[in-house]
Amino acid sequence: MRKFRRPLVVLSRCIEHDHCRYDGSMISSPFVRQFEDYADFITVCPEVEIGLGVPRPPIHITEVDGKPRLVQPETGRDITADMRSFIDSFLGSLDAVDGFILKNRSPSCGIRNVKVYRGEGRRPGRDGMGFFGRAVMERFPHLPLEDEGRLRNLQIREDFLIKLYLVRDLRSVEGLQDLIDFHTQNKLLLMSISPEGQNILGRVIGEQTDHEDAIKEYSEIFHEIIREPLKPERLINALLHAFGHFSSELNGGEKKYFLESVEWYRRGVVPLLVPISILRSWVVRFGDIYLEKQTLFEPYPRELVPVTLII
C-alpha cells in the first residue's frame, strides 16, 4: 500500500465545519467528511471574517459602472473594500498549500455560476465569480481548485484528487535525487496528463546541472501541465501502455475483461481505480518491478473511492 502525504487544503468553513452561512446553515458533503481523514484543512469564511454576523442579510455582487461591487441589498452596505482587504491579507499569509475546495455559487467563494446583479443589486444579470474565488484563481492558478458541488461528479473528483496528491508530493522534493525519484515514480501518471509534458519534464532533469535550477524549472512546467483537465483518453493510453507489459502472458478472457473495464471507465460507469486495480493484480502476479513503483496504480487513497460513487 502506498503511503500518502497529507495535502493541505483551504476549505470554505461552511462545508461540514461550521453553521456560518448567511442563514445559519452548514453544507453537507460526504466527500469532505471522509476526506478529513486524509488531508489537513485551513477553513475560512470570508464573510464572517470581515465582521458579518450569523445569520445575516445576504450579500450580492452588483455591477456598477461596469465594475463588480459586493453589497448587502437589505442594508445598503457596500463591503467591497473590506472583502478585498481580507482577501489580500489571508491569501498573502498562505505559504505551503496544495489546493482549494470552495462553496459553489457563493458571492464570496464561488468560482463559477455566481449571480451578478445590476443596479442596486436586485435585478439578475450575468453569471460570474465570487470575490474570494476569483482571487484564488488569479493568485494560485497552478493549484487544484474545485467547488463542493462539482466534486459530486466522479471524473471531476478523480481529476482533483490525482493532481492534489501530485502537488503534495512535489512539495516534499528537496534535492535532485528527490526530483528524479518523483519523476520516475510518476512517469505513467504524468504521461496520462500530458505525454508531451512528461517528456519535457524528463529533459529538464537530464539537461540541468544546477540542482536548484532543475527543481525550479521542473516545478514551473509541472504546475503549468496540471492545469489541463484530465482526459479519459490519455489516461486510457497510459493504462494500455502498462497493459502491454503483460499482454503476452494473459489469456483471452483476462484480456477481454480488462478491456471491458477500460470501456466502462471511458463511459463514466466505473472509477479509474477499477481498471487500475486489475492491472495492479498483474503487477503483483508477474512481479514487474518497474510498474510496482508507479503511482498510476494508486494515485490517491483508495478508501476515497466509495464516497466517489455517492451523488
Side-chain angles (χ1 to χ4, degrees):
M1 296 292 288
R2 179 181 169 190
K3 292 184 178 179
F4 289 91
R5 296 177 176 88
R6 294 173 68 91
L8 183 60
V9 179
V10 176
L11 174 74
S12 290
R13 190 177 300 152
C14 64
I15 305 172
E16 289 289 350
H17 279 73
D18 193 9
H19 293 267
C20 58
R21 294 199 71 213
Y22 74 95
D23 58 359
S25 65
M26 182 172 69
I27 300 300
S28 174
S29 172
F31 168 67
V32 168
R33 265 200 314 274
Q34 186 165 7
F35 193 35
E36 195 159 15
D37 291 335
Y38 302 92
D40 296 316
F41 292 139
I42 299 173
T43 65
V44 60
C45 177
E47 296 174 26
V48 170
E49 297 291 350
I50 64 173
L52 300 181
V54 181
R56 57 185 174 274
I59 59 174
H60 289 171
I61 299 176
T62 300
E63 204 166 58
V64 179
D65 296 328
K67 297 181 179 180
R69 308 293 298 179
L70 202 54
V71 301
Q72 203 171 43
E74 185 174 316
T75 65
R77 182 180 173 186
D78 187 321
I79 59 172
T80 306
D82 291 340
M83 181 62 74
R84 285 180 172 157
S85 177
F86 167 74
I87 290 170
D88 287 342
S89 175
F90 178 82
L91 295 184
S93 72
L94 295 178
D95 183 17
V97 62
D98 301 304
F100 297 79
I101 300 175
L102 302 180
K103 174 68 186 76
N104 72 328
R105 301 183 180 180
S106 160
S108 54
C109 291
I111 56 175
R112 54 178 58 82
N113 299 324
V114 179
K115 288 295 182 185
V116 177
Y117 293 80
R118 297 191 182 97
E120 297 180 354
R122 300 182 185 279
R123 287 179 293 156
R126 60 181 178 83
D127 285 346
M129 291 186 287
F131 272 59
F132 184 81
R134 180 186 294 275
V136 168
M137 294 186 77
E138 291 173 349
R139 297 193 190 200
F140 300 94
H142 56 291
L143 293 182
L145 164 66
E146 273 301 344
D147 65 52
E148 109 287 346
R150 278 171 49 90
L151 285 174
R152 300 187 189 111
N153 178 280
L154 173 65
Q155 291 186 350
I156 290 174
R157 187 183 300 185
E158 286 191 322
D159 184 310
F160 177 79
L161 288 172
I162 288 169
K163 293 175 179 177
L164 184 70
Y165 281 97
L166 274 171
V167 168
R168 177 62 186 90
D169 283 349
L170 182 60
R171 183 159 64 84
S172 70
V173 167
E174 295 181 350
L176 185 58
Q177 188 57 53
D178 284 349
L179 185 63
I180 293 171
D181 291 344
F182 172 86
H183 185 77
T184 301
Q185 293 164 10
N186 289 290
K187 191 170 183 179
L188 285 180
L189 192 54
L190 291 169
M191 181 191 300
S192 73
I193 297 172
S194 172
E196 302 83 2
Q198 187 271 328
N199 288 330
I200 293 170
L201 291 173
R203 289 198 294 271
V204 169
I205 294 175
E207 295 171 0
Q208 288 286 356
T209 56
D210 184 281
H211 294 187
E212 290 187 5
D213 286 347
I215 294 172
K216 182 175 183 295
E217 184 177 357
Y218 187 101
S219 180
E220 289 174 352
I221 296 171
F222 166 86
H223 283 108
E224 187 64 31
I225 288 170
I226 67 166
R227 293 178 66 177
E228 295 184 38
L230 284 178
K231 298 177 181 178
E233 294 78 12
R234 289 184 175 180
L235 280 160
I236 289 170
N237 284 339
L239 295 176
L240 294 177
H241 180 87
F243 175 63
H245 283 237
F246 316 112
S247 58
S248 63
E249 306 290 335
L250 302 171
N251 62 45
E254 289 173 314
K255 294 178 183 179
K256 180 181 178 183
Y257 182 70
F258 171 72
L259 294 175
E260 284 177 346
S261 77
V262 170
E263 179 62 17
W264 294 335
Y265 164 67
R266 187 188 67 79
R267 296 180 183 179
V269 177
V270 300
L272 175 63
L273 291 192
V274 170
I276 280 179
S277 294
I278 298 172
L279 283 173
R280 191 172 180 183
S281 72
W282 294 332
V283 172
V284 175
R285 174 178 163 188
F286 297 110
D288 191 304
I289 296 174
Y290 169 73
L291 289 181
E292 71 181 9
K293 296 179 180 179
Q294 290 296 308
T295 56
L296 174 67
F297 297 102
E298 196 173 5
Y300 59 85
R302 61 179 54 208
E303 292 85 354
L304 296 174
V305 175
V307 296
T308 301
L309 301 178
I310 295 175
I311 304 299

